[in-house]
Amino acid sequence: MRWAPTRGGIVGGTVARAGAAPGTMSGSDTAPFLSQADDTDDGPAPGTAGLPGSMGNPKSEDPEVPDREGLQRITGLSSGRSALIVAVLCYINLLNYMDRFTVAGVLPDIEQFFDIGDSSSGLIQTVFISSYMVLAPVFGYLGDRYNRKYLMCGGIAFWSLVTLGSSFIPRERFWLLLLTRGLVGVGEASYSTIAPTLIADLFVADQRSRMLSVFYFAIPVGSGLGYIAGSKVKDVAGDWHWALRVTPGLGVVAVVLLFLVVREPPRGAVERHLDSPPLNPTSWWADLRALARNPSFILSSLGFTAVAFVTGSLALWAPAFLLRSRVVLGETPPCLPGDSCSSSDSPLAPPLPPSLIFGLITCLTGVLGVGLGVEISRRLRRSNPRADPLVCAAGLLGSSPFLFLSLACARGSIVATYIFIFIGETLLSMNWAIVADILLYVVIPTRRSTAEAFQIVLSHLLGDAGSPYLIGLISDRLRQGWPPSFLSEFRALQFSLMLCAFMGALGGAAFLGAAIFIEGDRRRAQLHVQGLLCEAGPADDRIVVPQRGRSTRVPVSSVLI
């Protein structure tokens, strides 16, 4: 990046960014950002106190951050209405993750019903995540260009119908269960890529961070409720199929709330100067090129991929692993054909099934971890502008040894296993809201849905799309070389899950790399939104400068730096 001081403010140029032809710029770049060349006080220089997100004080509460009345004027929504919209989005996010992990809560029963092994069980989650991953870019593209409210309504209605249908599949049609779980990805992709961008267009600075933390509380809490609902509904109804019929009804309520409560705010308006031109979307390929050249976004997405790998593996396999651990320790009877797993009337049966205990742990650690991560990051930002990626790195690197210890201690003490899982998941949950906040302040508003989609594709492609199947496959391969026994089933899954600790360490390293670039990428995004920076096309290295009363594109080399 090269900076050229002018009479009108700041001129920035980046090479080969927007994909426009020489002399032209697409989307938001069509409007000259220095149309008033003779105004000497147009904008602050990079790093000055008047620019939100500038170096040295990335989240400062300065005059550029709109107050409550200013936000209401810009968005056309009262603070109460904006908070209600976030509450609706949070409810739907909770419902999404509740549905996703209800299957994990009844996985032993599904294995018994369809007579499948660990590798086939892992496919249930892998097929869903793969579909979700493939469809995310489609909804990311649509979300940056069309009404986000109606996209979410349609997707969630479709997801509810498919989820309900999956509960009526006969035992000889396992492939049909895989198909319906794949179709569920349509609804989740329509929501997960779009909802955070709505919050970003309603709030700024610390308000946005707080609202995102509320929104991402729903991920661990919804996941835990999925285990709990799956386990308890199965026990009450005496049939695991009823566990899949809870969330579709709640999905209908979600569609009604979306339609009646949510309104579409203008994209990026809360982050612009009042006299700045509105941002218009660029081409999809230009968006992808810009994202690929954003190192903070790429490295934080790679770090989040490690989070997805670990959480995806634990989400599906932790309840089964805990059940096998109890069997080996003699605390619960094994799951035999004809019995409902983990709900035997035997005196050895535990008062609470492992899936229910793990669900409660997930809920508690999620609330604690997300809140702890956001608060630590908020406090550290005052003295360190790299606080966000550093907190994410500390969470991942700290969780790895505790997850390893939880696996290593499972044969000796189930209580120690639960304690180490609690600590490890708390540290792991510190990343959720912070990663979302990083994306929103290093990517301009007209690319955020696309960025969300790209991050979903990357994190799931290399993370939880394959990790459940990979863990199950390693477990099956290990068992093939050992004599059949409940102990061999336990040890095989134990050794395969140890891969999660290694992936967590790799993710921590990626976040440390993001900390190197975070200041510069945040500043460039803020300047672009404020109309003080435009992107040069790939064919030439040119910037826009005021010349004879109008804006003119000239080579960077001709400007005195």
Side-chain angles (χ1 to χ4, degrees), residues 28-106:
S28 61
D29 299 326
T30 55
F33 69 91
L34 283 178
S35 58
Q36 302 296 329
D38 294 329
D39 293 340
T40 58
D41 298 321
D42 272 359
T48 57
L51 185 63
S54 58
M55 289 181 65
N57 194 8
K59 295 251 180 175
S60 59
E61 295 183 0
D62 47 48
E64 297 295 341
V65 178
D67 57 14
R68 181 177 299 181
E69 294 182 357
L71 285 174
Q72 183 172 345
R73 287 194 302 270
I74 294 170
T75 63
L77 300 169
S78 66
S79 58
R81 183 63 175 270
S82 296
L84 185 59
I85 290 174
V86 173
V88 171
L89 297 178
C90 186
Y91 164 73
I92 301 172
N93 202 31
L94 183 145
L95 188 61
N96 277 340
Y97 280 86
M98 181 177 170
D99 172 77
R100 185 183 299 188
F101 295 111
T102 297
V103 172
V106 294

Side-chain angles (χ1 to χ4, degrees), residues 384-432:
N384 189 345
R386 297 183 175 93
D388 287 349
L390 291 177
V391 171
C392 290
L396 263 178
L397 293 174
S399 68
S400 294
F402 287 105
L403 293 177
F404 178 84
L405 288 172
S406 70
L407 297 169
C409 295
R411 192 179 175 187
S413 171
I414 194 67
V415 175
T417 297
Y418 284 134
I419 292 174
F420 287 130
I421 288 177
F422 186 94
I423 299 173
E425 284 208 326
T426 299
L427 294 171
L428 195 64
S429 298
M430 290 171 61
N431 293 273
W432 288 106

Side-chain angles (χ1 to χ4, degrees), residues 437-460:
D437 206 10
I438 290 174
L439 183 149
L440 294 174
Y441 65 63
V442 300
V443 177
I444 63 175
T446 54
R447 291 179 181 141
R448 284 173 180 163
S449 289
T450 298
E452 291 279 356
F454 184 89
Q455 189 174 83
I456 286 172
V457 170
L458 183 64
S459 61
H460 292 315

Side-chain angles (χ1 to χ4, degrees), residues 31 56 129 135 183 189 263 276 287 291 295 411 441 461 477 488 509 516 518 525 532:
I129 294 296
L135 292 167
L183 292 176
R263 288 180 57 187
S276 300
D287 292 347
L291 293 174
R411 192 179 175 187
Y441 65 63
L461 179 64
R477 293 295 174 86
S488 65
I516 299 174
I518 194 74
L532 300 175

Side-chain angles (χ1 to χ4, degrees), residues 3 66 106 130-131 157 186 317 347 444 471 477 489 494 505 510 530 542 547:
W3 304 98
V106 294
S130 298
S131 169
V186 175
W317 290 115
I444 63 175
I471 297 298
R477 293 295 174 86
E489 291 180 3
Q494 179 189 42
Q530 300 296 350
R542 293 171 179 259
Q547 195 174 76

